[in-house]
Amino acid sequence: MANYNGVTAPSIAVQFFIGSTWTSTTASDVLETSIRRGRKQYDILAQAGVASIVFNNYSGAYDPDNASGPYAGQLKAGLQMRIVATWSSVGYTIYQGFLESSVVNQGQYPTVVMNFVDGLGYIADAQAPVLDSLQFSETAATRVGRMLDYAGWSATARSLTGSVTMATTIQGKSCLQMIYQAVNCIAGRFYISRSGVATLVPLSDKFSRPTQLLFSDQGDAFSMIYRGLIVDPGTYYVVNQAVVDRGALATKTSTYNPSRIANGLVSKRFDAPILNETSGANLALYESRQQADPVTYAKQIDFSALSLGQLYPDFLACEIGDQVSVKRLTVDNRSLQYNLVIEGMTHRITSDDWNVSFHTSPIDPYSITI
Amino acid sequence: MPLCPQITNTPITVTQTADFTVTSVVPLIADTSDGLAGNLESIEILADGKTKVYRQAAEPTGAGINDGDLWIETDAGNKLYVRAGGVWVSAQDAAIGTAQSTANAAAAAAGAAQSTATTALANAATAYNAAIASLQPSANTIVNASNQITAINGNGITVYSGASATTGARVVLNSAGLAAFNSSNVATFSLTASTGAAVFSGSVTGATITGGTLNIAGNAIIDGSGLLTATGATIQGTINANAGYFGSASNGFSIGATGLTGVGTGAITGGTIQTSSGSNAVILNGSSNAMQIKANGSVVTNMLNFSTSGALWHYGSSPDSSGASYPKVQLSSSNASIDASSTQYLAAGSNGNLVVGQTTYSGGTHTFSNAFVASSTATFNSTMFAPNLTTSTSATNLRVATGSIGEIQETSASSIRFKENVVPLSSVEEINHNKLLDLPVRAFTYKEGYLSENDDRLGVMLPGFIAEEVDAIYPIAADYGDGQVHSWNERFIIPGLLALIQDLYKEVQLLKGE
């Protein structure tokens, strides 16, 4: 039985945003919490982060039809929710999203399962309207900001960096498609942070992220034990030809021949309406090189988030794009180390355990000025 | 920063090398999602069945050709025709012919200009070759107008004017840095590329050094924050200061053209301050907390604390707070003294005592080892003690005169050496001793408060005379003080008494018949 008291393990609070205030639900009502953020593998677009919370509904408080309950009239789609883990009196938001559905079980053991989706799902529903003519030659950050405006996203919950100038557009796509065009143009990353901030970072961001955790089966100082480790040889992710599709502008294609000869031609198209021709060529060069060599890496790390002691602040602060490291001593006495980037994560918090999986990609050292 | 070891992700910049194949393709039709292709399709539909355009060399013939159709004659410079009245009529714009003529003239002019340019280019090439031959006498050297030679070889780039690129005065630039040598082949300055270290053997003039640390032979170091660390540094000459401060503007010292002025609680602590570097000076010695006076090249006196609570000024070359160095002037909470030695001194105590050469003090009695000497008038406001005076049968008497109350004078002497007009007492009427017979002999006590409380005869009946009666009967024996009768003087009573005794003695002898 885990003791989520803020001392033995972090205390966990599920909070609803009601009347401009975050209101905590009764901790003992939360039977199980499941969270998934980011993506499971790094060659796909980011997936919307989801959370599923099972509430004990003996009180009827979580029934959306209960007109006399403490949350009467509030448990509607779009209700903001966040999950806060508190350790040493410091609160860490580990998920923030919007209510999408409620499943009410009126059986002998009444429960309500609430499903939430984070900002990516919220933004994905919005469309960028078709314009009368090609407009808006603007930076990637400005374009993402406009898309967030279309989606009605809060102006204060965004952190956008991306200075590459994009070509004019007539729009007519979903806001999320438009945002990923901008992400492609800067070879960067877009995600909703654990505290609900829409975040756009450029290519250079990967060189400034901290190493949050060290997993080791050798008892290294400040390390954590892992329960499971899935290792991938990386061949599936090889890309040695990048086709940068700039729309009406010249398509830039770069092929990294040593990889093509070794692995065969693996081409990938990047929808990146980048204005400057040289920038487009540089983007193609970078994208044809950065995944050209298959790299063995730890694809998934499974571990328990109980009894972490002094490592709790580092664990709870983990964010998509941060770095982690895994040390492994094989049975034939080989010391291996994988340096990785967090692409996504899942949590399953029950009264007995707190299971976490990190979905990761290998650290990529390649850089270029776009 | 997280607790675990940090991974260093060192960037590798991707550059276009032979390993890459990069192509660029301009799309024929813009992104169909923008609607352009749809528009083209609409245009095509509208054009279908209307005016036809023939792009071919041969004249279009046959059915289906209508008036208004267009023919572009591709082997005649795309000449344009319009079908009119069943025949092809030239629709060539007359301006094209004009433009063609103009173009032909321009082409001719351009040919002439090209010929001129070709000639100029050839001349320039000749001049260039001559210049190169002059500028570059050998494969790896360049000569300028001052005959300074630049050598480019394995040592890097060397600029020299002597005979060799490896000896004599020269400047050398290579990946190791920049260095200069004089005619004696001695390095005069160097800049090391890997470390940025700079070494100058000459003076650096007119330079502004920004940031970093200026280290002068380890003796004086000024860092980027302005911190000056001096180790064995010496300041000579004059330092001109204008409106600066040591400390702060409110507490410290202001530095102006006239010197150093204390501000607020500014204080100089420790160290040594001396008024002159010459043979005579006043020195404030911080290490011993003493003020020293140097005379004729040596410290002769020291002023410092006495033990823990007094002040001391003594003779000697070094401070001594024990009070054992003499001569000295010593101040404490209860007394002040001037001491020539441990037994030769003058001390004034808080009890009002002035002590000369005290060796012991017990029971209110001071014992003097030396006489108290006053070169002029000395005044005592209380009892003066001299209990241990030596005795002598020939000693001159000491008396307290009454002319000025309390005045101590030597009693007048009796030697004939000091006297004249010597006659028998009875021969002078006004001091005839028989007048003493009328002088009443009295008994009395002194009034309270007149005698010392320690006087043995305090309150006791005493025999004596009354000075006013002496003055009335035998005035020569009356002493005056402050303009009035004060006492009587036995020195002028006794001779009269002896004369009376002598007279009585003679009468007794006569009565006895002897």
Side-chain angles (χ1 to χ4, degrees):
Chain A
M1 193 75 176
N3 190 3
Y4 299 107
N5 59 1
V7 178
T8 306
S11 61
I12 306 294
V14 175
Q15 299 177 333
F16 295 145
F17 193 65
I18 298 174
S20 303
T21 303
W22 288 104
T23 303
S24 292
T25 59
T26 303
S28 59
D29 287 349
V30 179
L31 301 177
E32 182 176 331
T33 302
S34 299
I35 300 169
R36 195 203 73 220
R37 294 182 57 229
R39 53 189 177 183
K40 279 199 165 185
Q41 55 193 49
Y42 69 97
D43 64 335
I44 61 174
L45 297 179
Q47 299 163 298
V50 296
S52 177
I53 300 173
V54 181
F55 289 99
N56 179 334
N57 196 35
Y58 270 105
S59 65
Y62 306 100
D63 185 343
D65 294 329
N66 184 353
S68 58
Y71 309 118
Q74 301 293 337
L75 302 177
K76 296 181 291 191
L79 171 67
Q80 281 198 70
M81 180 279 297
R82 71 180 183 186
I83 301 169
V84 179
T86 300
W87 174 257
S88 294
S89 303
V90 178
Y92 300 85
T93 300
I94 59 174
Y95 179 84
Q96 185 164 327
F98 304 87
L99 178 61
E100 197 168 53
S101 64
S102 294
V103 179
V104 181
N105 178 355
Q106 301 287 21
Q108 186 176 3
Y109 302 104
T111 59
V112 173
V113 180
M114 293 190 186
N115 298 306
F116 300 85
V117 62
D118 74 2
L120 279 184
Y122 185 93
I123 296 165
D125 290 340
Q127 285 290 315
V130 178
L131 302 174
D132 292 339
S133 59
L134 292 166
Q135 296 178 48
F136 300 119
S137 178
E138 58 199 349
T139 65
T142 303
R143 181 158 298 179
V144 171
R146 282 199 310 108
M147 296 305 115
L148 294 176
D149 291 342
Y150 285 137
W153 190 259
S154 168
T156 59
R158 57 179 77 173
S159 172
L160 309 174
T161 305
S163 59
V164 174
T165 303
M166 300 178 66
T168 53
T169 178
I170 201 163
Q171 300 187 162
K173 296 181 171 68
S174 76
C175 289
L176 206 53
Q177 281 181 293
M178 297 290 290
I179 287 172
Y180 280 112
Q181 282 188 338
V183 172
N184 287 339
C185 284
I186 62 175
R189 183 189 293 273
F190 179 78
Y191 59 93
I192 304 299
S193 76
R194 55 188 173 83
S195 56
V197 176
T199 306
L200 176 69
V201 294
L203 184 157
S204 59
D205 176 75
K206 65 184 179 183
F207 300 109
S208 60
R209 285 300 187 99
T211 306
Q212 284 293 124
L213 297 173
L214 167 63
F215 296 92
S216 172
D217 57 7
Q218 301 161 53
D220 291 69
F222 305 119
S223 69
M224 296 169 56
I225 299 292
Y226 56 83
R227 285 176 172 171
L229 194 65
I230 300 175
V231 177
D232 191 312
T235 50
Y236 177 76
Y237 299 96
V238 167
V239 172
N240 49 38
Q241 183 182 68
V243 180
V244 174
D245 183 349
R246 299 166 62 218
L249 303 174
T251 298
K252 297 294 179 181
T253 302
S254 173
T255 306
Y256 183 60
N257 295 309
S259 174
R260 178 184 57 79
I261 295 167
N263 304 291
L265 181 66
V266 184
S267 183
K268 185 174 180 181
R269 177 182 172 277
F270 293 87
D271 183 9
I274 194 167
L275 178 63
N276 182 276
E277 194 159 351
T278 302
S279 297
N282 285 341
L283 178 61
L285 276 173
Y286 169 75
E287 296 291 6
S288 67
R289 180 67 186 92
Q290 62 140 341
Q291 287 176 236
D293 302 319
V295 178
T296 303
Y297 72 106
K299 184 177 185 178
Q300 180 174 323
I301 309 161
D302 301 326
F303 59 97
S304 170
L306 296 179
S307 303
L308 299 186
Q310 61 181 337
L311 294 177
Y312 269 121
D314 296 342
F315 162 68
L316 295 173
C318 280
E319 185 53 277
I320 293 168
D322 285 350
Q323 298 175 162
V324 295
S325 191
V326 178
K327 281 187 173 179
R328 186 162 72 91
L329 184 64
T330 66
V331 292
D332 56 343
N333 206 33
R334 286 175 291 118
S335 292
L336 301 177
Q337 178 165 346
Y338 304 113
N339 297 326
L340 307 161
V341 176
I342 300 174
E343 297 290 343
M345 62 184 76
T346 61
H347 298 254
R348 183 169 179 272
I349 307 170
T350 66
S351 59
D352 295 325
D353 205 349
W354 182 345
N355 288 307
V356 183
S357 294
F358 279 176
H359 309 291
T360 58
S361 64
I363 277 186
D364 158 29
Y366 294 102
S367 176
I368 201 166
T369 300
I370 301 172
Chain B
M1 185 61 70
L3 296 174
C4 69
Q6 295 296 296
I7 303 166
T8 301
N9 188 14
T10 304
I12 300 172
T13 301
V14 179
T15 55
Q16 185 172 355
T17 63
D19 289 336
F20 290 91
T21 302
V22 179
T23 60
S24 179
V25 177
V26 179
L28 293 176
I29 299 176
D31 185 358
T32 56
S33 66
D34 290 346
L36 183 55
N39 293 337
L40 289 174
E41 186 177 359
S42 299
I43 292 169
E44 186 178 350
I45 292 169
L46 289 171
D48 194 22
K50 301 296 182 181
T51 299
K52 298 186 179 64
V53 178
Y54 298 90
R55 288 178 58 88
Q56 58 194 65
E59 177 181 332
T61 58
I65 301 175
N66 303 313
D67 283 355
D69 287 352
L70 302 176
W71 169 37
I72 300 172
E73 190 177 10
T74 55
D75 62 348
N78 291 327
K79 186 175 180 181
L80 182 64
Y81 295 85
V82 178
R83 190 76 170 182
V87 297
W88 292 105
V89 178
S90 174
Q92 183 85 358
D93 188 346
I96 294 176
T98 304
Q100 183 68 50
S101 298
T102 304
N104 289 341
Q114 183 178 15
S115 175
T116 303
T118 301
T119 302
L121 188 61
N123 293 339
T126 302
Y128 171 77
N129 290 332
I132 288 294
S134 172
L135 183 65
Q136 190 173 13
S138 63
N140 295 322
T141 58
I142 300 170
V143 178
N144 67 7
S146 301
N147 288 325
Q148 291 173 321
I149 301 174
T150 300
I152 304 170
N153 52 31
N155 285 337
I157 299 174
T158 303
V159 179
Y160 63 102
S161 59
S164 169
T166 56
T167 61
R170 65 192 189 281
V171 175
V172 179
L173 174 66
N174 55 32
S175 60
L178 174 66
F181 300 84
N182 63 16
S183 58
S184 301
N185 206 32
V186 176
T188 55
F189 79 82
S190 66
L191 296 174
T192 302
S194 59
T195 64
V199 178
F200 296 87
S201 60
S203 299
V204 178
T205 305
T208 298
I209 298 174
T210 304
T213 299
L214 177 61
N215 186 330
I216 304 171
N219 293 323
I221 302 171
I222 303 173
D223 69 12
S225 67
L227 176 64
L228 168 62
T229 302
T231 305
T234 301
I235 297 174
Q236 291 184 321
T238 301
I239 297 176
N240 294 319
N242 183 16
Y245 289 94
F246 288 122
S248 67
S250 57
N251 284 306
F253 294 89
S254 68
I255 315 164
T258 58
L260 193 64
T261 303
V263 178
T265 58
I268 297 175
T269 303
T272 298
I273 300 172
Q274 63 182 59
T275 56
S276 169
S277 60
S279 58
N280 298 315
V282 177
I283 302 168
L284 286 178
N285 188 331
S287 63
S288 56
N289 293 317
M291 182 177 81
Q292 300 172 302
I293 296 176
K294 188 168 77 170
N296 199 25
S298 300
V299 172
V300 293
T301 63
N302 300 274
M303 182 178 290
L304 70 163
N305 62 299
F306 171 44
S307 183
T308 58
S309 60
L312 193 62
W313 185 15
H314 70 81
Y315 185 83
S317 59
S318 60
D320 176 10
S321 63
S322 69
S325 295
Y326 299 92
K328 66 177 183 180
V329 174
Q330 179 176 304
L331 302 174
S332 70
S333 60
S334 58
N335 59 64
S337 69
I338 303 172
D339 306 45
S341 68
S342 61
T343 56
Q344 306 287 326
Y345 59 87
L346 172 61
S350 60
N351 56 6
N353 291 337
L354 177 64
V355 182
V356 181
Q358 177 185 356
T359 56
T360 59
Y361 177 81
S362 177
T365 301
H366 297 270
T367 301
F368 295 92
S369 60
N370 291 284
F372 175 81
V373 178
S375 62
S376 185
T377 300
T379 301
F380 296 87
N381 291 325
S382 184
T383 303
M384 175 182 174
F385 292 92
N388 295 324
L389 295 179
T390 57
T391 57
S392 171
T393 55
S394 62
T396 303
N397 289 329
L398 185 69
R399 296 187 68 86
V400 177
T402 59
S404 179
I405 303 300
E407 184 178 30
I408 301 173
Q409 292 180 310
E410 181 184 1
T411 303
S412 57
S414 293
S415 170
I416 190 61
R417 293 180 285 117
F418 307 111
K419 297 178 179 178
E420 59 186 4
N421 300 320
V422 179
V423 296
L425 176 61
S426 57
S427 65
V428 182
E429 179 56 31
E430 59 269 27
I431 59 172
N432 188 292
H433 55 277
N434 286 325
K435 292 184 176 183
L436 290 172
L437 295 173
D438 297 329
L439 182 63
V441 178
R442 306 291 191 182
F444 60 92
T445 61
Y446 278 108
K447 292 181 179 177
E448 185 178 353
Y450 178 73
L451 291 178
S452 166
E453 291 181 355
N454 298 323
D455 198 295
D456 293 341
R457 296 180 178 81
L458 181 64
V460 177
M461 290 298 292
L462 301 172
F465 305 121
I466 301 303
E468 284 79 359
E469 293 175 344
V470 172
D471 185 49
I473 296 169
Y474 200 70
I476 192 65
D479 287 339
Y480 276 68
D482 297 334
Q484 57 185 339
V485 174
H486 187 75
S487 184
W488 60 272
N489 193 327
E490 68 276 10
R491 285 176 61 87
F492 301 105
I493 294 291
I494 292 172
L497 291 177
L498 184 57
L500 288 173
I501 293 172
Q502 288 173 342
D503 288 347
L504 287 174
Y505 178 77
K506 288 176 183 175
E507 286 184 21
V508 171
Q509 290 300 107
L510 184 61
L511 290 175
K512 284 183 176 179
E514 294 179 357

